[in-house]
Amino acid sequence: MTEPSWQSLAHSRWECKYHVVFIPKYRRKAIYGEIRASLGRIFHERAWQKECRIVEGHLWADHVHRCIEIPPKHAVASIIGFLKGKSAVAIARQFGGKLKNFTGEHFWARGYAVSTVGYELEKVTRDIREQEAEDQAVRF
């Protein structure tokens, strides 16, 4: 097991990583092609805006896995809501022809699954990679 990578804020030292899984609305297989290529960049940019970092992740046609580092000054729910909301708007603008006044349409389902990673980071990242390998084996 490797040592945790502690971060610092003004009055605290922290190491908070979360394993997050969420799905498109109705679990439809909507994450493919250009959308899939764009989502990785979108998630990384939006996470950076909120002082978060995506440690590991993968996009499947019908769900998203992310291991994300979130500072303790941010609520996990607000960060996940921000990532899902901003990515849905970006998808609508890039691929749905919506340039402004984007409301009422939803790309992501309402909920998500989250668990703390703690000192199990290697196990979580390995599980994500193994599921990715299984996904590749099924495709071919």
Side-chain angles (χ1 to χ4, degrees):
M1 181 167 76
T2 61
E3 288 295 313
S5 57
W6 294 93
Q7 305 289 326
S8 292
L9 292 171
H11 301 285
S12 61
R13 299 213 2 105
W14 60 276
E15 205 262 334
C16 303
K17 292 182 176 77
Y18 302 90
H19 180 209
V20 180
V21 180
F22 51 92
I23 63 173
K25 195 151 193 143
Y26 310 118
R27 190 121 190 192
R28 63 180 185 253
K29 296 184 184 310
I31 305 171
Y32 59 88
E34 291 181 41
I35 291 175
R36 183 177 179 165
S38 296
L39 272 176
R41 178 185 47 77
I42 290 167
F43 283 134
H44 280 278
E45 289 173 359
R46 298 308 180 264
W48 182 81
Q49 284 179 343
K50 291 289 186 177
E51 302 168 315
C52 300
R53 181 176 69 96
I54 295 174
V55 178
E56 186 79 27
H58 188 70
L59 301 165
W60 282 269
D62 64 346
H63 68 286
V64 173
H65 274 269
R66 288 281 180 254
C67 181
I68 185 167
E69 190 174 69
I70 302 173
K73 67 181 182 177
H74 295 296
V76 175
S78 67
I79 296 299
I80 302 307
F82 177 80
L83 291 175
K84 288 170 64 176
K86 294 299 183 183
S87 64
V89 170
I91 290 167
R93 286 185 177 157
Q94 287 180 3
F95 304 105
K98 304 279 186 184
L99 299 176
K100 58 183 179 179
N101 299 330
F102 175 71
T103 59
E105 295 181 42
H106 304 282
F107 185 81
W108 302 111
R110 284 182 72 184
Y112 60 93
V114 63
S115 67
T116 55
V117 173
Y119 294 114
E120 299 290 326
L121 178 62
E122 285 101 8
K123 181 183 181 312
V124 170
T125 56
R126 184 180 65 243
D127 288 349
I128 291 172
R129 287 185 189 128
E130 286 173 1
Q131 191 172 5
E132 181 178 357
E134 289 173 19
D135 184 51
Q136 293 293 328
V138 170
R139 278 196 210 157
F140 299 106

